[in-house]
Amino acid sequence: MPRSLSGRNFLKLLDFTTEEIQYLLELAKDFKRLKRTNTPHKYLTGKNIVLLFEKTSTRTRCSFEVAGNDLGMGVTYLDPASSQMGNKESLEDTAKVLGRMFDGIEYRGFDQDIVEDLGRYAGIPVWNGLTTEFHPTQMLADVLTIEENFGRYKGLKMVFMGDARNNVANSLMVVSAKLGINFVACGPKDNMPDAKLVATCRKIAKENGCTITLTDDVKKGTKNADVIYTDIWVSMGEPAELWEKRIKLLSPYQVNDAVMANANPEAIFLHCLPSFHDLETSVGREIYEKFGLKEMEVTDKVFRSPQSKVFDEAENRMHTIKAVMYATLK
Ligand code: CP
Ligand code: NVA
């Protein structure tokens, strides 16, 4: 049993032990059962949380809001235009003020340093809802989805395809190392996770009996994979001018039929979402007009195939975020 997580921040998975991550996953399973059976679980009635979003969101915001409501808490949402943070008031002052009024703070935005500073000054638990470097709450949902499909996660092979230096890829590498999942970053050589982070993860992976592999070879990288994962090619906060360069760089790493056929026949496809797999988005249509691409990081066929578990994964965001809030606030 891990030591209590009560009062802790949830800023990145490197701060948590294997046992603590496993405990959060078990808790999430309990909460999923309660939700599915319509069993009330207002365990945190009387508490209040604030959600600070400096970037847009559907899943993360809704997960924190619904999970907060289900736990009986009051939830306040602040977008960048409706708070003084960074404009008229320093991060430190904002954190101290929010810490006097609320019981927990969610932050989505830019540098990891910002969320680390919030955690330092607020005096109440701070949860990272995505930074440029990491997306830790996403990881719990991903591993829960893997476990639901395979009955386990330890010893499986997970491959991240594409922009292997982004927040999701970094976080997948960390969670894999912590939980004994063999992780492969499959993308262009000069677009790999930070070397220092790779070294840290390899050390953790060794302790947990798994490997971290970086490769630009799609065939080798995806061979017999159990989980094929991808993410958009230009992340929030990056300039739109990058699309052209990234399309050229990352197109060979698209998740398509050939990739899935090379993986384990039982393999699942995961994506944190949102995804550009058709022309039903304004960005997707713009890219099509400029570059002639109808689908990007994943084909529409794979996205909609039975192997794709992306909507289970999205639902699991809510159950796992609930577990994080409960564990740190109870
Ligand atoms: N996966 C994810 O974080 O989705 P949102 O950007 O919609 O929150
Ligand atoms: N890498 C993506 C993840 C979105 C959930 C981004 O940061 O925009």
Side-chain angles (χ1 to χ4, degrees):
M1 201 46 195
R3 68 191 161 101
S4 167
L5 298 185
S6 179
R8 294 266 300 273
N9 294 322
F10 189 80
L11 306 179
K12 58 185 182 304
L13 288 173
L14 286 169
D15 300 337
F16 289 81
T17 64
T18 300
E19 291 69 30
E20 286 167 343
I21 297 169
Q22 286 167 337
Y23 165 70
L24 288 170
L25 288 167
E26 290 307 309
L27 205 51
K29 285 188 227 167
D30 290 343
F31 278 123
K32 188 164 183 174
R33 268 192 295 274
L34 293 176
K35 184 77 174 174
R36 286 283 172 94
T37 53
N38 277 321
T39 311
H41 44 281
K42 294 192 181 299
Y43 302 150
L44 298 177
T45 300
K47 293 195 186 282
N48 290 286
I49 60 168
V50 61
L51 314 181
L52 285 178
F53 278 82
E54 299 204 291
K55 289 176 178 167
T56 52
S57 168
T58 298
R59 278 146 291 272
T60 309
R61 175 181 174 182
C62 294
S63 295
F64 272 98
E65 292 216 16
V66 174
N69 290 329
D70 283 354
L71 289 168
M73 296 193 286
V75 181
T76 299
Y77 172 76
L78 286 180
D79 67 31
S82 35
S83 90
Q84 316 275 29
M85 189 169 96
N87 306 316
K88 283 169 64 187
E89 193 160 37
S90 69
L91 180 87
E92 180 176 347
D93 293 357
T94 307
K96 286 177 177 168
V97 170
L98 296 177
R100 296 292 183 102
M101 296 182 189
F102 292 96
D103 299 287
I105 301 174
E106 182 274 356
Y107 172 83
R108 163 172 287 198
F110 296 90
D111 294 355
Q112 181 71 17
D113 285 351
I114 300 175
V115 81
E116 300 277 347
D117 280 347
L118 273 176
R120 192 164 303 121
Y121 297 125
I124 55 172
V126 173
W127 310 296
N128 178 357
L130 179 147
T131 57
T132 304
E133 292 89 340
F134 294 115
H135 195 5
T137 61
Q138 178 72 50
M139 297 305 111
L140 298 177
D142 299 344
V143 177
L144 181 58
T145 311
I146 293 170
E147 196 183 358
E148 287 172 346
N149 281 278
F150 292 95
R152 67 192 173 104
Y153 43 79
K154 200 171 164 66
L156 296 182
K157 174 177 175 179
M158 170 152 60
V159 185
F160 180 89
M161 300 284 289
D163 188 14
R165 38 140 294 285
N166 80 9
N167 41 18
V168 170
N170 285 342
S171 305
L172 284 172
M173 185 167 67
V174 175
V175 82
S176 296
K178 290 269 180 185
L179 296 180
I181 300 168
N182 297 302
F183 177 75
V184 180
C186 187
K189 270 200 180 74
D190 53 0
N191 204 64
M192 285 294 171
D194 171 66
K196 225 172 117 193
L197 184 62
V198 173
T200 303
C201 288
R202 282 200 166 128
K203 209 167 146 235
I204 300 168
K206 203 167 169 207
E207 287 161 18
N208 293 314
C210 62
T211 54
I212 305 289
T213 308
L214 313 183
T215 181
D216 60 354
D217 186 325
V218 175
K219 262 247 133 91
K220 274 192 198 148
T222 58
K223 189 79 200 148
N224 297 328
D226 300 295
V227 181
I228 301 285
Y229 199 122
T230 192
D231 186 10
I232 50 170
W233 289 342
V234 175
S235 285
M236 290 183 280
E238 294 191 309
E241 295 77 65
L242 270 179
W243 274 113
E244 187 170 4
K245 188 178 156 213
R246 290 279 169 80
I247 286 170
K248 274 197 199 118
L249 194 67
L250 301 177
S251 286
Y253 300 92
Q254 181 192 60
V255 178
N256 50 33
D257 281 349
V259 166
M260 295 309 290
N262 193 43
N264 170 355
E266 308 296 318
I268 60 169
F269 169 70
L270 295 181
H271 190 312
C272 55
L273 306 182
S275 162
F276 296 121
H277 60 93
D278 58 21
L279 296 181
E280 299 301 317
T281 64
S282 56
V283 175
R285 283 191 293 275
E286 216 176 290
I287 298 290
Y288 175 63
E289 275 153 29
K290 276 196 188 150
F291 308 106
L293 250 72
K294 284 194 169 149
E295 40 197 15
M296 286 191 261
E297 73 277 4
V298 56
T299 60
D300 198 47
K301 192 167 166 224
V302 169
F303 187 89
R304 293 177 191 276
S305 71
Q307 283 172 288
S308 170
K309 304 297 173 193
V310 296
F311 296 109
D312 294 333
E313 186 186 5
E315 177 193 330
N316 285 338
R317 296 297 309 287
M318 201 265 291
H319 305 300
T320 46
I321 280 173
K322 195 180 281 177
V324 170
M325 289 200 288
Y326 177 71
T328 52
L329 290 183
K330 74 174 193 293

